[in-house]
Amino acid sequence: MEPVGYERLIRTFNLPVRPLTHPCFISGSVNRRVPAHNGFWFPRNVALESTPVGHLEFALRHEGVNLEVIDAVFERLPDTELVRRLTESPNGAHIRRACFLWEWLTGKSLSVEATPTGPYVDALPKDEYFTAERAANNSKFRVRDNLPGTSAFCPLVRRSALPESPTLDELLNEASETLDGLTDPTLYARAVSYLYLSETRSSFSIERENPSADKAERFVQLLAHAGEEKLVTEDWLVGLQNIIVREVFSQEASYRTKQNWLEDGTRRVTFFPPSPEDLPRAMAGWERFINEIGLRCPNILVRAACAAFGFVYLHPFLDGNGRIHRFIIHHVLNGARRLRGGAIVPVSAVILRHEAEYAEVLKGFSVPATRLWDYVMSDPAPLVTRHPGGRPYRFFDASREVRFLHEMLVEAIRTELPEKLSWLSGYDEAFRQLDTEFDLRQSDLSALIRMVKSNNGKLSANKRKQYYYLPENVIARIEEVVRDSFPEATGGSADAMDADSP
């Protein structure tokens, strides 16, 4: 078998790019394109000019658009080869797309005499990818620029990654209907506060951090303003980071100016984000992407996933990147459509329950990207001898990330949100009844309700010792009221009620 398309280009030029998920090969044993264990096989009679430009045309026709590989190819492919091929076939759709991408990626101009006269073609096939809603026509090559980003940052998402239903609008309508079931304005306001607190604790828990009451409250206030009209800038993000991080000495004044990395317990590096030399261009592209994304990427769910995961892959701060990454999901969603009273979808709570799947999504990017780095582990930092530049972090396929976020939102809206509201209603009902019947401190009553509920309607023997002064009939009545107040299907997510008690 012979490699073809992107795989042939990677091998020919020894490109420092991430491995292809489905490389293509020429095989004499097939008479049409077929999926195989190692990618896709094509028959030998497939139309192909056996040159680097020919393999690039093949890739654009059969494999889609891989900006990481294409950008790396253009660093090694003489531009005269593109001009030669365009001169031979001035109306060829894929050579025109290749020439357009060369100028788009390099910022330079090709000296061409041939002027295409054929119909305009899309830079990105809109039936395969989520594209810009309003494309800009490039008359030089008669190509519609419908790419969702810029040459500084442009993740791509295949349409096959996102199911047709439920759409984000449908999901948010369901969330609104669930919230509208709380007709008492006071209870609704408490529900909004409860969702903020739960989201805060879940996001910090993913980072294995138990925030102080002050830090939790600051993050709660941050969530309350998610989605408000604001230009995303370095200064704004620095402000978020300063609110979120653990200690004053970890707060940043700008994007990082030194290399950071993640490592495991054996001191093996598990993730290298882009170098400080490559970070400014990438972050400038990311900022433009999120600020102009309504024009370039109208699908809000795609927008949220690309912006949020793109941020954590760029890792512009030494600390706080993960929490900002999850905050950005809310910022984009709320900016597009705000629920009544500023309510938010408890997406981090669901991610916390799916940490293994979340880690796999992150590793799907971090592992192949980090393998492009050569380093020697030393103190206090790894000694990097080779790295791929910013290209892998600026151009990546975010299809997996979009699919994951959609799955998390479905569960958050259809399962987590109703359960949290049922918990809150049950807690309020139990507290109202028991506060009327017994003269207990409110903090003790709140704790007893949570402990009984989390232990399936019974106060454990160990907890009974803590409340030794309460008569058995009082304990029995508390257990009875708690069992009656909570729907049987409601889970015992009592932890998020700690600071939400009356």
Side-chain angles (χ1 to χ4, degrees), residues 261-297:
W261 68 96
L262 303 178
E263 62 180 60
D264 60 20
T266 66
R267 297 211 68 199
R268 179 181 62 89
V269 173
T270 57
F271 180 52
F272 273 117
S275 73
E277 293 77 26
D278 295 303
L279 184 64
R281 180 187 183 191
M283 285 307 300
W286 182 89
E287 288 174 22
R288 186 173 174 185
F289 179 85
I290 193 171
N291 287 325
E292 298 181 0
I293 202 161
L295 300 174
R296 303 294 300 178
C297 185

Side-chain angles (χ1 to χ4, degrees), residues 171-483:
L171 287 170
L172 293 178
N173 286 339
E174 291 181 27
S176 293
E177 291 173 5
T178 300
L179 288 161
D180 288 344
L182 301 177
T183 55
D184 181 348
T186 302
L187 182 58
Y188 192 98
R190 275 175 40 76
V192 172
S193 298
Y194 176 28
L195 290 170
Y196 286 160
L197 181 60
S198 174
E199 185 67 10
T200 295
R201 293 189 171 183
S202 296
S203 192
F204 276 86
S205 292
I206 292 170
E207 305 297 326
R208 302 294 185 267
E209 183 178 348
N210 184 21
S212 65
D214 174 66
K215 183 176 287 188
E217 179 57 29
R218 282 185 288 156
F219 196 82
V220 164
Q221 292 304 315
L222 203 63
L223 287 171
H225 295 287
E228 292 182 352
E229 281 192 43
K230 189 178 290 290
L231 192 67
V232 176
T233 64
E234 181 176 0
D235 287 344
W236 184 71
L237 289 166
V238 166
L240 296 186
Q241 195 268 353
N242 288 182
I243 291 172
I244 288 169
V245 295
R246 191 178 287 116
E247 302 291 350
V248 173
F249 55 75
S250 294
Q251 294 178 343
E252 306 276 10
S254 67
Y255 294 144
R256 58 182 169 82
T257 56
K258 59 183 180 180
Q259 185 64 52
N260 58 346
W261 68 96
L262 303 178
E263 62 180 60
D264 60 20
T266 66
R267 297 211 68 199
R268 179 181 62 89
V269 173
T270 57
F271 180 52
F272 273 117
S275 73
E277 293 77 26
D278 295 303
L279 184 64
R281 180 187 183 191
M283 285 307 300
W286 182 89
E287 288 174 22
R288 186 173 174 185
F289 179 85
I290 193 171
N291 287 325
E292 298 181 0
I293 202 161
L295 300 174
R296 303 294 300 178
C297 185
N299 186 292
I300 303 304
L301 195 146
V302 171
R303 169 183 178 176
C306 288
F309 282 94
F311 179 89
V312 81
Y313 296 157
L314 291 170
H315 236 66
F317 300 116
L318 298 180
D319 192 14
N321 298 286
R323 280 152 287 181
I324 297 176
H325 141 75
R326 289 182 291 277
F327 171 82
I328 287 169
I329 294 173
H330 294 289
H331 185 69
V332 174
L333 294 181
N334 284 14
R337 179 174 171 184
R338 202 166 182 84
L339 297 173
R340 181 165 67 91
I344 59 173
V345 176
V347 65
S348 290
V350 177
I351 290 176
L352 184 60
R353 287 210 303 268
H354 292 274
E355 279 192 278
E357 295 96 314
Y358 183 46
E360 284 304 308
V361 172
L362 296 174
K363 287 194 294 185
F365 177 86
S366 65
V367 170
T370 300
R371 284 175 180 160
L372 299 176
W373 292 65
D374 286 339
Y375 68 96
V376 176
M377 206 63 193
S378 60
D379 288 320
L383 177 62
V384 175
T385 57
R386 181 182 67 92
H387 66 78
R391 186 183 296 120
Y393 309 89
R394 293 166 30 226
F395 307 129
F396 61 94
D397 187 320
S399 300
R400 176 178 49 237
E401 289 80 353
V402 167
R403 185 183 304 112
F404 175 79
L405 181 57
H406 181 264
E407 291 171 354
M408 295 301 99
L409 288 172
V410 169
E411 184 170 333
I413 290 171
R414 292 183 171 176
T415 303
E416 187 72 14
L417 181 61
E419 285 185 357
K420 287 190 178 301
L421 297 185
S422 292
W423 164 267
L424 184 61
S425 297
Y427 171 89
D428 279 6
E429 176 60 24
F431 192 95
R432 183 190 62 79
Q433 287 192 50
L434 294 170
D435 193 40
T436 301
E437 294 184 29
F438 303 114
D439 186 20
L440 292 171
R441 285 188 305 176
Q442 289 190 340
S443 59
D444 284 343
L445 182 54
S446 175
L448 284 162
I449 292 171
R450 288 183 283 106
M451 287 186 289
V452 170
K453 179 65 185 80
S454 63
N455 196 46
N456 299 315
K458 297 288 290 183
L459 188 66
S460 69
N462 188 48
K463 297 298 183 183
R464 281 177 181 269
K465 294 176 184 177
Q466 185 177 339
Y467 293 93
Y468 63 90
Y469 53 86
L470 292 180
E472 279 298 319
N473 65 311
V474 173
I475 296 292
R477 177 57 180 161
I478 291 173
E479 292 173 339
E480 178 186 15
V481 170
V482 169
R483 286 193 296 268

Side-chain angles (χ1 to χ4, degrees), residues 101 113 208 284 298:
L101 288 171
E113 296 181 3
R208 302 294 185 267

